[in-house]
């Protein structure tokens, strides 16, 4: 029994040895009441802290709850006397103190009028220059303050508890303000304050409203892990350096409207239980809202965004409003991992603009995000934005297929899983290049016009230029001029439009060139190599229906004339003698590509060389594919048109 007791005592002793330093850190010095005598003693015996004389009022219980008490008046007067008499700045340390009642912080500063030549002579020339500089920065949002309170030294409020209101308004803080782990049980007012150096309110708790209205933060702003239980008002403020609000909890509204953020502002992992307002604010650098919980409306109305707005892995339960926002060309919104966690969750912005700003880093893990975004914009009838998100989705899908196709181990090449990716890769690449996956109607029309002009010129050459026959057929000079000028004009305008409307114009042009040039060029060269030895060499290969001249949609019409004799009598060769003859070849190509035309022009079926027939059917086949792609694109870009096409 004795040995067991001895062993237990040894174990307890070891535990105490190892835990004593920890307990020592946890237990703080007890607060003693600050009396007038103690205050006078501290003002007479300044300590050194961070290389500067410091008035040490830490670990005190300072009772300012009775305004009529003599202590209250003496408290501010004693501190002011030592500050004013000092030739250099003096720090004030309230660390771990308990301040009862309202604390008029502004009374501890040096009161000075503002204006040229009226700044207090107590300041050094450097300090006077600083004060003038800070006050001329937008003159505190164009609101003239007749008198300002200047704090020359550093203020320490670490782990300080304020039971009453704190008033530090209309003040300039030339040195840092440290209030880590501070607790403000009543209102904290820093209205129109100027913080020239870094401020630190990390893990601070504001149990009532925190007012930083029209304040200027010229140094780094630190509010990490702090908590605002009531309104946090930073409206009309100016942040010139990094602003850190990560892991902050806002239980009520957070108002940053009309503020200017010159550098990065970090709200990562913050919780906004109520509204977040950035209306008419300016963001000159990145805004980080990663892993945030946005429970109510987030207002970015009329903001100016010049860089990245990062919403990665954020959770929204209500509206994200970007109405009337101005975005510079380098601005973008990262929505990778963005979660729509409520039925009211939606993103609102200017149609045809907001969708192009949203970015997703990769497809894997963001499938739900993209679906939610597409559904979001379709519910708002912002079809262009929904289509752009879907276009971005398919681009990411193509990147994913490319990775699987070209970065596969050589052992897996030519397996069925690998081979099945090839048609997916080809079809998706073509759809993205020739119409941005059904989202770019302007690009698709340009491709159709290029195709129409190319085949019109080709059929015109084949039909009108037959030099190696007994009686050569050659077009007139005016016909040559009109045909060539029209072809060049339509092609150049279409190519120019392609460069405007797509991100990969060269790849698009290469794709259309591969489709248009090789096969028609080969057929045309064969025609002129072999020569033409058949009847009706002196007549056109194209015939027109002379029974009518009207605009027709010819989706199901074939490019050759019918065999039934009654209908064949209506078709006659096109006229070569007229000056507008060259338009017939455009009409024929429009019928084959766009499936519309004013004249029913087809190719004859008698004495027609097989190569010419092959070329005509090649163009008609391309036209079928083109019109399907065109109708699909129109149905996706024009609301309600898909229903009309269906009927």
């Amino acid at each position: 029994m004795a040995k067991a007791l001895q062993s237990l005592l040894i174990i307890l002793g070891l535990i105490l040895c190892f835990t004593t330093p920890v307990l020592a850190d946890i237990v703080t010095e007890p607060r003693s009441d600050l009396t007038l005598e103690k205050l006078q003693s501290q003002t007479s015996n300044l300590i050194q802290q961070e290389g500067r004389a410091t008035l040490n009022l830490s670990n005190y219980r300072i009772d300012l709850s009775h305004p009529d008490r003599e202590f209250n008046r003496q408290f501010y007067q004693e501190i002011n006397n030592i500050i004013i008499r000092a030739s250099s700045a003096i720090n004030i340390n309230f660390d771990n103190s308990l301040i009862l009642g309202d604390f008029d912080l502004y009374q501890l500063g040096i009161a000075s009028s503002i204006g040229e030549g009226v700044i207090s002579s107590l300041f050094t020339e450097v300090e006077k220059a600083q004060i003038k500089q800070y006050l001329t920065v937008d003159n505190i949002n164009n609101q003239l303050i007749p008198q300002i309170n200047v704090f020359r030294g550093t203020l320490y409020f670490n782990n300080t508890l304020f039971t009453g209101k704190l008033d530090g308004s209309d003040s300039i803080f030339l040195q840092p303000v440290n209030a880590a782990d501070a607790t403000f049980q009543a209102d904290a007012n820093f209205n129109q304050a100027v913080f020239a150096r870094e401020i630190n309110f990390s893990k601070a708790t504001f149990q009532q409203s925190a007012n930083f209205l029209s304040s200027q933060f010229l140094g780094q702003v630190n509010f990490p892990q702090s908590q605002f239980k009531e309104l946090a008002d930073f409206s009309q403020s100016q942040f010139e350096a990094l602003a850190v609000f990560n892991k902050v909890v806002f239980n009520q509204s957070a108002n940053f409207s009309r503020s200017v953020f010159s550098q990065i502002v970090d709200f990562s992992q913050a919780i906004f239980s109520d509204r977040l307002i950035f209306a008419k604010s300016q963001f000159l650098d990145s805004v980080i809202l990663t892993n945030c919980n946005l429970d109510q409306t987030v207002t970015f109305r009329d903001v100016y965004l010049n860089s990245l707005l990062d919403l990665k892995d954020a959770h929204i339960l209500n509206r994200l409003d970007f109405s009337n926002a101005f975005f510079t060309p380098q601005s973008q919104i990262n929505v990778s991992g963005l979660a729509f966690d409520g039925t009211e969750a939606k993103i609102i912005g200017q149609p045809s603009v907001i969708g192009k700003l949203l970015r997703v880093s990769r497809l894997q893990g963001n499938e739900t995000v993209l679906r939610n975004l597409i559904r979001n914009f379709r519910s708002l009838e912002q079809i262009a934005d929904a289509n752009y998100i879907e276009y971005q989705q398919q681009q990411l899908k193509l990147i994913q297929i490319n990775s699987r196709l070209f970065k596969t181990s050589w052992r897996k090449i030519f397996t069925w899983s690998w081979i099945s990716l090839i048609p997916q890769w080809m079809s998706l690449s073509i759809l993205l290049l020739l119409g941005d996956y059904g989202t770019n109607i302007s690009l698709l029309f340009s491709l159709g016009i290029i195709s129409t002009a190319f085949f019109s010129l080709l059929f015109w050459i084949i039909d009108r230029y037959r030099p190696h026959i007994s009686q050569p057929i050659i077009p007139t000079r005016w016909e040559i001029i009109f045909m060539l000028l029209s072809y060049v004009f339509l092609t150049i305008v279409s190519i120019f439009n392609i460069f405007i409307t797509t991100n990969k114009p060269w790849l698009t042009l290469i794709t259309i060139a591969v489709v248009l040039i090789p096969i028609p060029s080969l057929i045309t060269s064969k025609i002129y190599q072999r020569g033409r030895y058949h009847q009706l060499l002196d007549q056109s290969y194209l015939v027109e229906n002379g029974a009518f001249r009207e605009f027709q949609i010819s989706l199901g019409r074939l490019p050759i004339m019918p065999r039934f004799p009654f209908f064949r009598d209506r078709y006659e060769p096109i006229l070569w003698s007229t000056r507008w003859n060259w338009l017939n070849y455009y009409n024929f190509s429009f019928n084959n590509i766009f499936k519309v035309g004013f004249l029913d022009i087809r190719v004859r079926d008698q004495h027609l060389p097989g190569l010419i027939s092959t070329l005509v059917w090649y163009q008609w086949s391309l036209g079928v594919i083109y019109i399907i792609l065109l109708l699909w694109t129109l149905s996706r870009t024009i609301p309600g048109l898909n229903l009309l096409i269906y009927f």
Side-chain angles (χ1 to χ4, degrees):
M1 186 68 181
K3 290 183 178 181
L5 182 60
Q6 185 178 6
S7 300
L8 180 61
L9 291 174
I10 293 174
I11 293 173
L12 289 175
L14 291 173
I15 293 174
L16 288 174
C17 290
F18 284 107
T19 58
T20 298
V22 177
L23 293 174
D25 290 339
I26 295 175
V27 178
T28 57
E29 295 183 37
R31 296 186 179 110
S32 59
D33 291 336
L34 180 65
T35 61
L36 185 58
E37 292 75 15
K38 290 181 179 179
L39 176 62
Q40 292 172 345
S41 174
Q42 295 290 31
T43 55
S44 302
N45 299 282
L46 302 181
I47 64 172
Q48 291 293 316
Q49 186 171 353
E50 297 183 357
R52 185 180 288 125
T54 302
L55 173 59
N56 184 16
L57 297 177
S58 61
N59 295 296
Y60 278 107
R61 181 178 178 274
I62 305 173
D63 190 357
L64 302 174
S65 58
H66 305 287
D68 298 332
R69 284 180 56 193
E70 177 67 16
F71 174 79
N72 288 30
R73 185 181 63 81
Q74 292 291 336
F75 173 78
Y76 295 109
Q77 183 175 337
E78 286 290 334
I79 298 177
N80 264 328
N81 289 338
I82 189 64
I83 291 175
I84 293 173
R85 289 198 303 266
S87 58
S88 59
I90 293 180
N91 300 339
I92 307 178
N93 189 343
F94 289 96
D95 286 353
N96 197 41
S97 289
L98 169 61
I99 302 179
L100 303 173
D102 295 343
F103 183 31
D104 297 331
L105 178 62
Y106 64 88
Q107 292 194 37
L108 301 184
I110 300 176
S112 174
S113 298
I114 62 175
E116 192 65 33
V118 296
I119 297 178
S120 175
S121 59
L122 297 175
F123 304 112
T124 64
E125 293 301 321
V126 174
E127 290 172 338
K128 288 181 181 179
Q130 286 179 305
I131 295 170
K132 292 178 182 178
Q133 175 188 354
Y134 302 147
L135 290 178
T136 55
V137 179
D138 200 25
N139 198 24
I140 309 186
N141 294 326
N142 295 321
Q143 297 181 19
L144 185 62
I145 303 174
Q147 186 168 292
I148 196 112
N149 304 289
V150 181
F151 291 83
R152 304 173 71 188
T154 303
L155 293 177
Y156 298 92
F157 297 107
N158 298 309
N159 202 35
T160 303
L161 173 60
F162 299 89
T163 63
K165 296 180 180 179
L166 170 66
D167 192 351
S169 60
D170 300 335
S171 302
I172 294 181
F173 300 89
L174 298 180
Q175 298 300 325
V177 177
N178 298 300
D181 295 289
T183 300
F184 303 88
Q185 293 184 347
D187 296 343
N189 183 13
F190 289 95
N191 181 23
Q192 300 192 86
V194 178
F195 299 93
R197 299 286 294 277
E198 176 183 1
I199 65 170
N200 182 13
F201 284 83
S202 61
K203 298 183 180 180
T205 301
F206 297 86
Q207 296 183 0
Q208 297 296 324
S209 63
N211 183 7
F212 290 86
L213 173 67
S214 300
S215 294
Q216 297 180 38
F217 302 92
L218 308 180
Q220 182 170 325
V221 177
N222 297 290
F223 283 88
Q225 302 183 53
S226 56
Q227 184 174 10
F228 296 86
K229 294 187 177 182
E230 295 292 335
L231 172 66
D233 191 355
F234 289 85
S235 59
Q236 303 181 53
S237 295
Q238 188 166 344
F239 297 82
E240 294 292 330
L242 173 66
V244 180
F245 290 88
N246 65 302
K247 298 183 180 179
V248 174
V249 177
F250 294 93
N251 295 107
Q252 298 295 328
S253 297
N255 188 358
F256 292 86
S257 61
R258 299 179 182 272
S259 295
V260 178
F261 298 87
S262 299
Q263 295 190 26
I264 296 174
V265 53
D266 182 6
F267 289 98
S268 59
Q269 301 182 56
I271 298 175
F272 298 90
S273 300
D274 209 320
R275 293 190 304 158
L276 173 59
I277 306 171
F278 287 112
K280 297 185 178 181
S281 292
Q282 299 181 38
F283 300 97
L284 307 183
D285 210 321
S286 299
V287 188
I288 302 175
L289 287 163
T290 58
N291 290 287
C292 277
N293 286 349
L294 305 168
D295 296 347
Q296 296 297 327
T297 303
V298 181
T299 303
F300 284 95
R301 294 177 62 90
D302 299 293
V303 300
Y304 174 91
L305 183 63
N306 189 49
S307 188
L308 171 68
L309 172 57
D310 197 347
L311 289 166
K312 181 181 179 182
D313 297 324
H315 297 259
I316 62 173
L317 281 79
N318 212 300
R319 289 186 305 167
L320 206 59
D321 190 354
F322 292 95
S323 302
N324 301 319
F326 179 82
F327 302 97
T328 63
Q330 58 267 28
S331 60
Q332 58 179 301
I333 304 173
N334 180 19
V335 292
S336 298
L338 179 66
F340 289 72
D341 285 346
T343 56
E344 299 296 323
K346 62 182 65 176
I347 296 178
I348 299 175
Q350 184 177 350
S352 302
V353 174
I354 184 65
K356 295 181 179 179
L357 294 165
L358 304 180
R359 297 288 186 275
V360 174
S361 58
R362 61 179 183 175
L363 181 61
Q364 185 177 2
N366 289 297
E367 295 88 347
T368 303
V369 177
L370 293 167
R371 284 196 300 269
N372 287 335
L373 290 173
I374 293 170
R375 190 183 302 114
N376 171 83
F377 290 121
R378 292 203 182 278
S379 67
L380 297 172
E381 296 187 358
Q382 295 182 208
I383 306 302
D385 297 307
N387 286 342
Y388 187 85
I389 297 299
E390 190 166 358
Y391 168 64
Q392 186 180 162
Q393 181 185 33
Q394 298 304 320
Q395 282 185 313
L396 295 171
K397 183 178 180 181
L398 182 61
I399 293 173
Q400 189 179 64
I401 293 175
N402 284 338
S403 179
R404 294 170 59 189
L405 195 61
F406 299 106
K407 295 182 180 180
T408 303
S409 171
W410 65 271
R411 294 184 180 88
K412 297 182 181 180
I413 294 179
F414 301 118
T415 61
W416 176 249
S417 299
W418 186 85
I419 294 174
S420 64
L421 294 174
I422 296 177
Q424 298 181 45
W425 175 79
M426 292 182 62
S427 59
L428 189 55
S429 298
I430 292 173
L431 288 175
L432 288 171
L433 289 174
L434 304 183
D436 292 349
Y437 200 77
T439 63
N440 195 335
I441 191 65
S442 179
L443 171 60
L444 200 59
F445 271 120
S446 296
L447 299 180
I449 292 173
I450 289 176
S451 302
T452 300
F454 175 77
F455 279 104
S456 299
L457 178 66
L458 198 60
F459 285 126
W460 174 78
I461 293 174
I462 293 173
D463 195 43
R464 295 291 286 122
Y465 184 67
R466 309 177 193 180
H468 304 297
I469 58 177
S470 58
Q471 294 181 350
I473 298 174
I474 298 176
T476 63
R477 182 180 62 180
W478 285 110
E479 189 175 346
I480 294 173
I481 292 174
F482 287 142
M483 194 67 198
L484 293 180
L485 284 179
S486 63
Y487 169 75
V488 171
F489 173 77
L490 291 174
T491 303
I492 290 177
V493 170
S494 298
I495 291 175
F496 181 73
N497 189 58
I498 288 173
F499 275 91
I500 293 176
T501 58
T502 184
N503 296 327
K504 299 178 180 179
W506 290 111
L507 284 177
T508 301
L509 291 175
I510 290 173
T511 303
I512 194 65
V514 169
V515 174
L516 292 182
I517 296 177
I519 293 178
S521 298
L522 179 62
I523 293 175
T524 304
S525 64
K526 289 293 183 182
I527 290 173
Y528 282 97
Q529 284 177 4
R530 293 181 181 180
R532 278 169 271 192
Y533 307 99
H534 55 78
Q535 296 181 16
L536 302 179
L537 280 173
D538 59 340
Q539 292 185 10
S540 173
Y541 295 119
L542 302 183
V543 294
E544 65 172 326
N545 185 353
F548 64 87
R549 292 178 185 272
E550 61 185 21
F551 181 78
Q552 278 192 332
I553 298 176
S554 53
L555 291 176
R557 199 212 66 178
L558 299 180
I560 58 173
M561 62 186 294
R563 285 187 60 196
F564 189 63
F566 178 76
F567 290 106
R568 293 173 68 90
D569 292 342
R570 298 183 181 183
Y571 288 88
E572 296 181 355
I574 63 173
L575 299 176
W576 280 348
S577 58
T578 58
R579 284 193 174 183
W580 45 263
N581 168 63
W582 56 279
L583 290 173
N584 288 319
Y585 300 95
Y586 280 103
N587 198 114
F588 179 68
S589 287
F590 260 94
N591 278 329
N592 284 345
I593 297 295
F594 285 95
K595 307 303 180 184
V596 296
F598 291 94
L599 301 176
D600 184 12
I601 298 180
R602 314 189 189 195
V603 291
R604 71 191 191 200
D605 62 344
Q606 293 179 324
H607 308 293
L608 180 70
L611 289 174
I612 294 178
S613 178
T614 302
L615 187 61
V616 170
W617 280 106
Y618 180 73
Q619 185 197 20
W620 185 86
S621 301
L622 291 179
V624 171
I625 298 173
Y626 177 80
I627 200 64
I628 292 173
L629 185 60
L630 179 62
L631 293 176
W632 177 58
T633 303
L634 287 172
S635 68
R636 287 163 51 82
T637 53
I638 302 177
L641 187 63
N642 54 347
L643 188 62
L644 178 63
I645 293 173
Y646 173 77
F647 284 112

